[in-house]
């Protein structure tokens, strides 16, 4: 073997050994010794999930901080669908910081014998019974043709309007699920046109809120359904007795943008 060839081979071997030594040194210096987990939970089930997740995350202890991929940590968290990843950070030299929060179950969509449970933002969490972790039931969505993918926001016609409407409801009610049973998407004469489409919100007392053409000015209509002086759900003029029957009808004027609210005691939707 020529001297020049020996030099090249020796140089390559030396470089490989140097890289290996550096990697070993980094691994020794930057080894995960602590998983600093911050868990924001609101239910007993969430607390149990947090303990189980913390035990899994502790499995990263002893590994290399340098070669740790935060995507692997996030994949571990995603095994727990009711948790939202807020932050995953490597804090050199030895700490892995993880921050998660529990998603609040809010909606349910019937799928065969079970329900698809969604959070308040419309993210599909898991399949199961219509029982909320905090007690009671979730708001059932009926008549919606939705696309469901776990961990993702549901999609479909009028889903955006429904979420926008409930955002307004959440501003006005201390606990929406305590008052609202379900939301149904319906169409007059089966015609799926905006002018023939309406939302039917069933309240727990029995009265229904019917909002015509929800694709137009839904926030203003939702607010009027609750706050109208004469017929709004929260109006003193609508007595407790009247809240157990009939409908609160909400119709918008496309031209002026005005919203008209009426109470029909005998209308059954």
């Amino acid at each position: 073997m020529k001297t020049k060839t020996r030099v090249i081979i020796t140089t390559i071997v030396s470089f490989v050994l140097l890289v290996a030594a550096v990697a070993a040194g980094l691994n020794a210096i930057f080894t995960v010794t602590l998983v600093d987990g911050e868990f924001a939970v609101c239910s007993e089930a969430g607390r149990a999930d947090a303990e189980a997740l913390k035990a899994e995350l502790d499995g990263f202890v002893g590994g290399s901080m340098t070669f740790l991929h935060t995507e692997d940590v996030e994949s571990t968290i995603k095994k727990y669908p009711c948790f939202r990843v807020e932050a995953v950070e490597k804090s050199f030299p030895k700490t892995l910081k993880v921050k998660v929060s529990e998603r609040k179950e809010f909606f349910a969509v019937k799928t065969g014998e079970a329900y698809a449970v969604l959070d308040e933002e419309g993210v599909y969490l898991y399949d199961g019974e219509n029982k909320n972790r905090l007690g009671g039931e979730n708001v059932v969505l009926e008549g919606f043709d939705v696309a469901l993918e776990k961990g993702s926001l549901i999609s479909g016609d009028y889903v955006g309007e429904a979420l926008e409407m409930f955002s307004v409801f959440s501003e006005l009610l201390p606990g929406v699920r305590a008052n609202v049973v379900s939301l149904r998407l319906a169409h007059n004469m089966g015609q799926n046109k905006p002018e023939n489409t309406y939302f039917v919100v069933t309240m727990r007392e029995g009265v229904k809120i019917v909002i015509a053409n929800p694709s137009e000015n839904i926030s203003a209509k939702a607010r009027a359904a609750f706050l109208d002086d004469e017929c709004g759900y929260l109006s003193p003029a609508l007595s407790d007795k009247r809240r157990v029957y009939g409908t609160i009808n909400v119709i918008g004027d496309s031209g002026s943008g005005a919203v008209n609210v009426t109470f029909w005691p005998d209308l059954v939707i």
Side-chain angles (χ1 to χ4, degrees), residues 151-179:
S152 299
L153 186 70
I154 63 167
S155 60
D157 290 346
Y158 295 97
V159 168
E161 288 85 351
L163 296 174
E164 186 176 346
M165 181 184 72
F166 275 101
S167 178
V168 174
F169 286 0
S170 295
E171 292 177 21
L172 303 175
L173 293 173
V176 176
R177 292 187 303 102
N179 296 87

Side-chain angles (χ1 to χ4, degrees), residues 20 38 62 66 70 81 90 109-110 113 122 134-135 144 149 170 177 181 190 193 197 204 219-220 244 249 251 254 265:
E38 183 178 339
T66 305
T70 56
K90 296 194 289 185
V109 179
K110 186 72 172 174
E113 297 299 318
L134 293 174
F144 290 84
E149 181 181 349
S170 295
R177 292 187 303 102
V181 176
K193 299 178 180 178
T197 301
R204 199 158 297 279
S219 291
V244 301
N249 295 278
I251 300 175
S254 298

Side-chain angles (χ1 to χ4, degrees), residues 31-39 53-54 57-58 60-61 64-65 68-74 76-77 84-101:
T31 299
V32 181
T33 60
L34 174 66
V35 176
D36 182 7
E38 183 178 339
F39 302 90
L53 174 56
K54 181 60 166 63
L57 293 175
D58 283 341
F60 289 98
V61 171
S64 169
M65 177 70 81
L68 172 67
H69 297 291
T70 56
E71 293 84 359
D72 294 336
V73 181
E74 292 178 6
T76 300
I77 299 171
R84 176 192 291 106
V85 178
E86 302 290 354
V88 175
E89 300 175 358
K90 296 194 289 185
S91 180
F92 286 92
K94 300 188 176 190
T95 302
L96 172 63
K97 292 187 176 182
V98 177
K99 183 178 180 181
V100 301
S101 61

